[in-house]
Amino acid sequence: MTRNLFFTTLALASHLSYANVNYTLSITEPEHHLGQVEVSFPKTAQSYIDVQLPDWRTGRYEILNMANGIRFFSANNLSGKALNWHKIDKNTWRIHLDKPTEVIVSYQVYANELGLRSRHIDDTHAFIDASGFFMFSDSFRQEPVKVNLEVPSEWRSVSGMDFADSKHSFKASNYDVLLDSPIETGINQLYKYTVDGRDYELVIWGEGNYDVELMIRDLKKLVKTGSLIWHDYPYERYVFMVHATSGARGATEHLNSTIIQRHRDKFASRDDYIGFISTAAHEFIHIWNVKNYRPDGLVPYDYVDINYSDLLWLVEGSTSYLENYLLLSAGITTNQEFYKSLTSTLNRHLKTPGREVQSVAHTSYDKWINQSGDHGKNFSTNIYLEGALVSMALDIDLIDRSDGKVSYRDVHSELYKQHKLPNSYNSDDVKQILNQVSGHDYKEWWATYIDSPALIDFDALFAKVGLEHVYPNDTVIVASIDGAARSVGQLLELTHVARGGSAWQAGLTAGDKIVAFNKHHVRKDLPNTLALFEPRKTVEVDFIRRDKLMTTKLKLGEQGSRSKVVRAVYSPTPRQAKLYKAWLGVTHPNAR
């Protein structure tokens, strides 16, 4: 904050006049993913200005090193005279000025990072997240901006920003708005509709097996649900951007829009469609949670350094949790589909040994550096998975204590009312709101489930709202090595070895290639191979490590042949049925 205030004050003192920062992006060689950017900064009396490309983008808490696509950088004054410059770090260019002047910066950008949702150009479109294309100067960060696109005549440009001078130009009040307002330009489909006086657009790039009528029907239902949690809508217009791709997948929330990427063949089946609409619900919630209230450490955004917070679980995990509430309340999904989603989340959590090691506050703070893969699964968790489950635990606790009168939704409503940007909040603020809405001191609960690894008793938790987590009736006990493997030729390569499990205790590790159990050559997959053996028996395992054949003894574990499922109890008590309705907004399916 101090750093940004310093630069803002410096800018106010040194500007000779107020003017737009103007950006022009020319799509020069789309087949090679190349574009040319020109930036015109207003006249300044500073002895130098630093121009920078962000080192990360909002919504993805990871250093992305986006300056690696910049080439042919140059800086000139208004008359075209070259200005001296040099780089002072990997994403900062310092331009020296010997007299007051406007500064015009030009550079080539390589845009071939579709899956990162930061920058992409090809012969059919460009996806433009400002963090991947447009440099900024702290001296002019609060100045109005304009963006002009020089693109093929048949392309259409769409953004949550307002149009400026043409159908391919946009304007924003400052760089922060520009950075949080991506542009989709190219050959696309555009649909416009209005719900409750607010305007919406759905723009789709790429062919796929999607059903536009179904998408719009459910998006109309979805956007009406914001009032179930918050007291107002912080926008008048919102854009859903969809990429039907050949592999890139994921989504990112923005101030006035979202970008959702799915494989072009992953829309039609019911499971695939729920994946899409759940993502849309997640990003819709982010309009409030993170785009209009967010924790200390993220206010204001520092685009060139890590933004630390121990509350990223509340930003992302709570959003993952609340998305299912909105979908169910809107009638987009059913009780059974809700249970299926909850089952998947819970079973992943229970199969993640890192849940016993890392608290949700710790994993929030370390989101920028946490590893994935085998080690990550054994010693870490993640803000989405763990955050969703502690949010659920907190929600049910609030509902139970208040006899259905107070829920976690009230907490988010108060965060929006009391800590709306430019304010921020911290853990003490959340605990104060919990006390305010419930009359209960949640400090001890917070210490147990947020600041420590969350060892939640899900059986007791679900019992309060008439659910259970049980094995299906036809489940049998089978052998297990407490790990996972993939077929590699005639071998099974271990991809995960659960910390403390059977394979771990036998000294096996991820990357080992299993050849045989008790001299029986492995079958096509691990379950078929283990079906030959009884649980709890000791077997000899032949495996390859560092190209050498090795042998170890392993005592087999046990597991259900099918995973546990979350389902409704057959005969809920009146209180269970009441709290279920208060929790999810719909009637318990077995209520009398």
Side-chain angles (χ1 to χ4, degrees):
M1 176 72 81
T2 303
R3 179 176 181 271
N4 285 318
L5 287 174
F6 169 77
F7 279 113
T8 300
T9 303
L10 178 63
L12 290 173
S14 58
H15 287 182
L16 297 183
S17 63
Y18 292 95
N20 288 344
V21 177
N22 293 304
Y23 295 90
T24 298
L25 170 62
S26 303
I27 306 299
T28 53
E29 298 179 80
E31 66 277 10
H32 298 301
H33 315 292
L34 295 174
Q36 186 69 25
V37 174
E38 183 176 281
V39 190
S40 174
F41 292 104
K43 194 172 186 178
T44 180
Q46 296 172 217
S47 60
Y48 67 85
I49 64 169
D50 290 339
V51 297
Q52 300 173 290
L53 198 68
D55 226 5
W56 65 289
R57 62 157 181 76
T58 63
R60 188 180 184 112
Y61 306 101
E62 176 185 353
I63 295 298
L64 298 177
N65 294 318
M66 288 183 285
N68 60 9
I70 304 302
R71 296 292 184 272
F72 306 117
F73 180 93
S74 67
N76 297 279
N77 63 19
L78 188 60
S79 62
K81 180 182 176 181
L83 299 171
N84 293 325
W85 62 271
H86 69 284
K87 289 191 75 172
I88 61 172
D89 59 40
K90 62 185 172 65
N91 61 320
T92 305
W93 290 256
R94 177 162 291 174
I95 303 169
H96 298 274
L97 311 175
D98 55 10
K99 62 181 179 180
T101 182
E102 294 182 23
V103 177
I104 299 171
V105 168
S106 178
Y107 50 89
Q108 181 193 80
V109 61
Y110 174 66
N112 192 25
E113 294 179 343
L114 182 63
L116 293 178
R117 295 176 295 286
S118 58
R119 58 185 184 213
H120 189 253
I121 296 172
D122 69 14
D123 56 342
T124 65
H125 92 135
F127 177 71
I128 304 160
D129 186 301
S131 60
F133 283 89
F134 299 140
M135 294 184 185
F136 74 101
S137 170
D138 262 321
S139 300
F140 302 104
R141 180 167 162 176
Q142 298 306 316
E143 299 299 306
V145 300
K146 281 189 178 182
V147 176
N148 181 61
L149 305 177
E150 295 181 354
V151 298
S153 59
E154 68 272 21
W155 284 20
R156 172 168 40 215
S157 299
V158 182
S159 176
M161 292 182 287
D162 291 333
F163 284 108
D165 304 321
S166 74
K167 64 180 182 179
H168 295 300
S169 66
F170 299 93
K171 59 184 178 181
S173 56
N174 54 49
Y175 183 80
D176 296 90
V177 174
L178 170 64
L179 187 136
D180 227 346
S181 306
I183 301 168
E184 173 61 35
T185 181
I187 300 169
N188 53 55
Q189 303 174 56
L190 179 64
Y191 306 90
K192 299 182 179 182
Y193 53 97
T194 301
V195 179
D196 294 337
R198 286 174 286 274
D199 295 326
Y200 296 89
E201 297 177 19
L202 170 64
V203 57
I204 306 175
W205 167 70
E207 297 179 353
N209 61 359
Y210 43 78
D211 181 338
V212 172
E213 290 186 6
L214 176 61
M215 293 164 74
I216 292 177
R217 185 194 74 189
D218 284 346
L219 288 174
K220 285 181 176 180
K221 292 179 182 179
L222 172 63
V223 299
K224 293 174 73 71
T225 62
S227 58
L228 297 176
I229 303 177
W230 300 280
H231 66 281
D232 67 21
Y233 282 67
Y235 64 88
E236 294 299 323
R237 176 173 163 267
Y238 190 83
V239 180
F240 291 94
M241 300 177 180
V242 176
H243 288 169
T245 76
S246 297
R249 57 180 297 275
T252 302
E253 72 277 3
H254 289 285
L255 184 65
N256 44 37
S257 57
T258 181
I259 170 64
I260 300 171
Q261 295 176 330
R262 292 185 67 80
H263 191 281
R264 64 184 73 256
D265 297 328
K266 292 291 185 179
F267 290 89
S269 74
R270 182 61 182 171
D271 283 348
D272 285 341
Y273 179 73
I274 289 177
F276 161 74
I277 200 65
S278 296
T279 302
H282 184 101
E283 307 311 328
F284 175 66
I285 290 168
H286 273 315
I287 299 167
W288 291 272
N289 184 17
V290 84
K291 292 308 173 187
N292 276 280
Y293 58 94
R294 60 177 177 259
D296 290 354
L298 301 180
V299 181
Y301 284 134
D302 185 339
Y303 301 127
V304 295
D305 203 354
I306 291 176
N307 292 222
Y308 290 106
S309 170
D310 60 1
L311 288 167
L312 288 182
W313 68 267
L314 195 151
V315 169
E316 292 293 351
S318 293
T319 299
S320 294
Y321 169 65
L322 291 171
E323 73 189 46
N324 288 316
Y325 166 77
L326 293 191
L327 292 173
L328 190 59
S329 297
I332 295 172
T333 56
T334 65
N335 279 299
Q336 293 301 322
E337 288 167 337
F338 171 78
Y339 304 153
K340 186 175 182 178
S341 176
L342 181 53
T343 293
S344 176
T345 300
L346 179 53
N347 287 348
R348 284 174 53 217
H349 163 81
L350 293 174
K351 293 179 180 178
T352 303
R355 65 188 170 84
E356 301 170 340
V357 176
Q358 194 174 54
S359 72
V360 72
H362 185 181
T363 196
S364 293
Y365 199 84
D366 277 0
K367 172 64 179 73
W368 298 82
I369 62 171
N370 263 348
Q371 295 182 7
S372 58
D374 185 64
H375 181 268
K377 196 170 183 178
N378 276 323
F379 293 95
S380 307
T381 182
N382 71 75
I383 57 176
Y384 296 88
L385 177 65
E386 203 75 358
L389 291 173
V390 297
S391 296
M392 179 183 69
L394 180 53
D395 195 9
I396 294 176
D397 191 81
L398 285 164
I399 290 168
D400 180 45
R401 289 179 184 277
S402 67
D403 196 31
K405 297 181 179 65
V406 174
S407 76
Y408 191 46
R409 302 186 294 278
D410 297 306
V411 176
H412 279 268
S413 177
E414 289 302 318
L415 282 170
Y416 181 49
K417 289 177 183 177
Q418 299 180 31
H419 298 281
K420 189 174 182 179
L421 292 174
N423 298 317
S424 61
Y425 63 88
N426 57 33
S427 296
D428 287 338
D429 295 321
V430 182
K431 283 179 272 189
Q432 188 277 326
I433 288 175
L434 283 166
N435 182 273
Q436 173 191 329
V437 301
S438 72
H440 177 72
D441 188 341
Y442 270 86
K443 290 179 182 176
E444 183 177 346
W445 189 98
W446 196 275
T448 301
Y449 296 106
I450 304 300
D451 292 333
S452 303
L455 305 180
I456 300 169
D457 184 344
F458 289 102
D459 290 333
L461 189 71
F462 287 151
K464 295 178 181 180
V465 290
L467 295 183
E468 58 185 2
H469 185 225
V470 295
Y471 285 113
N473 293 335
D474 57 350
T475 304
V476 296
I477 300 301
V478 297
S480 167
I481 65 166
D482 301 314
R486 63 187 181 101
S487 178
V488 180
Q490 299 296 310
L491 308 175
L492 291 177
E493 181 179 349
L494 292 174
T495 56
H496 172 59
V497 174
R499 177 176 49 81
S502 298
W504 179 282
Q505 293 180 17
L508 294 171
T509 190
D512 288 344
K513 298 178 179 66
I514 298 177
V515 178
F517 287 87
N518 282 353
K519 305 307 178 184
H520 287 272
H521 186 260
V522 294
R523 297 190 175 185
K524 63 179 180 179
D525 58 39
L526 188 57
N528 274 297
T529 299
L530 294 178
L532 299 172
F533 306 96
E534 294 182 15
R536 299 181 296 278
K537 296 294 185 181
T538 297
V539 295
E540 184 178 78
V541 182
D542 295 321
F543 64 100
I544 294 174
R545 179 186 294 172
R546 294 186 298 272
D547 297 323
K548 291 180 63 177
L549 184 63
M550 305 176 72
T551 301
T552 188
K553 297 288 187 179
L554 181 151
K555 183 177 181 180
L556 293 169
E558 61 182 23
Q559 64 181 22
S561 59
R562 299 179 62 184
S563 297
K564 284 186 174 182
V565 297
V566 175
R567 68 187 185 192
V569 299
Y570 292 119
S571 298
T573 66
R575 178 172 173 79
Q576 285 176 322
K578 176 183 178 179
L579 297 189
Y580 184 97
K581 180 68 177 292
W583 177 39
L584 297 178
V586 296
T587 302
H588 190 288
N590 298 324
R592 296 288 187 263

